[in-house]
Amino acid sequence: MKIGVLALQGAIKLHQAHLEALGAKYIEVTGEKHLKEIDGLILPGGESSVMLKLVDIVGLGTELKAFAKSKPVWGICAGAILMARSVSCPIQPSYNVIDISIQRNAYGRQLESTEQIIDGYYVSFIRAPRILMVGKNVSVMKNLNNDPIWVESGNLMVTTFHPEINNATPSPWHIHFAKKCKGGS
Ligand code: GLN
């Protein structure tokens, strides 16, 4: 199984150890040819406004949307912002592949970033967004303080936190996503 990570900006390389620990091949996605060879794609955390510009520069926007219609995609933090139907604070374009509204930097600046234990595993919220609304086809998998932090719709998965920074590999979410990529859930 091959799982790609969009490799234009952000927390890319940290996924390699998690993916290899579960027996998947890690592919850095920088162009259309990589999308053709992977079974699932991670849109990593980083800076969504910068990632949007870089996706435009490499001309991958249409291909990313098409990929999300047929194969599993997991958006983490900035990646979640790219996948949302609408984005606020500030308003910015997005790929509208999952029916959620999301507010950027909703918990404050870098100094307000936190680590939390979710399902017994340390994860990081780094200038994290808040999911404000989920559509009827979207399932909330986990809440924290009444905010959805992990949601799914079919093959599409969103977490507002980063699990990949924890070096206990593979993280529960990498395992869960890999099952989707195998066609398992
Ligand atoms: N604050 C960033 C944004 O708006 C997301 C931060 C992250 O991905 N950790 O894009």
Side-chain angles (χ1 to χ4, degrees):
M1 181 177 39
K2 293 181 182 171
I3 299 183
V5 181
L6 184 67
L8 300 176
Q9 189 272 335
I12 300 159
K13 202 83 185 166
L14 288 166
H15 290 284
Q16 182 166 7
H18 291 271
L19 295 175
E20 289 177 355
L22 52 82
K25 191 161 164 31
Y26 160 82
I27 308 274
E28 293 193 349
V29 173
T30 55
E32 199 181 346
K33 65 177 188 293
H34 302 123
L35 288 177
K36 294 210 163 80
E37 59 170 313
I38 57 176
D39 304 299
L41 174 67
I42 296 174
L43 300 177
E47 186 55 41
S48 57
S49 55
V50 175
M51 244 184 265
L52 274 177
K53 286 189 184 141
L54 295 175
V55 168
D56 270 354
I57 288 169
V58 298
L60 260 186
T62 309
E63 285 74 15
L64 287 178
K65 275 196 194 183
F67 187 92
K69 290 209 168 95
S70 60
K71 297 229 174 111
V73 178
W74 172 18
I76 298 172
C77 206
I81 295 168
L82 296 187
M83 288 171 72
R85 180 166 65 74
S86 68
V87 178
S88 54
C89 290
I91 292 171
Q92 73 183 19
S94 55
Y95 298 130
N96 185 16
V97 294
I98 187 166
D99 190 10
I100 61 173
S101 301
I102 204 161
Q103 178 190 0
R104 296 178 64 201
N105 302 312
Y107 304 95
R109 306 181 66 160
Q110 192 69 5
L111 284 174
E112 278 80 50
S113 296
T114 58
E115 276 197 332
Q116 305 279 346
I117 301 174
I118 308 290
D119 293 346
Y121 191 88
Y122 272 100
V123 301
S124 307
F125 288 82
I126 306 169
R127 291 181 301 113
R130 174 185 279 135
I131 296 171
L132 301 175
M133 184 289 299
V134 300
K136 63 178 185 322
N137 295 324
V138 178
S139 311
V140 176
M141 308 294 287
K142 188 67 68 180
N143 281 296
L144 183 66
N145 304 327
N146 295 322
D147 287 332
I149 56 168
W150 168 18
V151 302
E152 295 191 0
S153 178
N155 273 337
L156 305 173
M157 170 172 161
V158 156
T159 61
T160 59
F161 55 84
H162 293 248
E164 77 283 1
I165 293 165
N166 188 328
N167 55 21
T169 60
S171 85
W173 292 276
H174 287 82
I175 295 170
H176 182 76
F177 184 62
K179 282 188 194 144
K180 289 186 186 295
C181 298
K182 267 191 210 135
S185 71

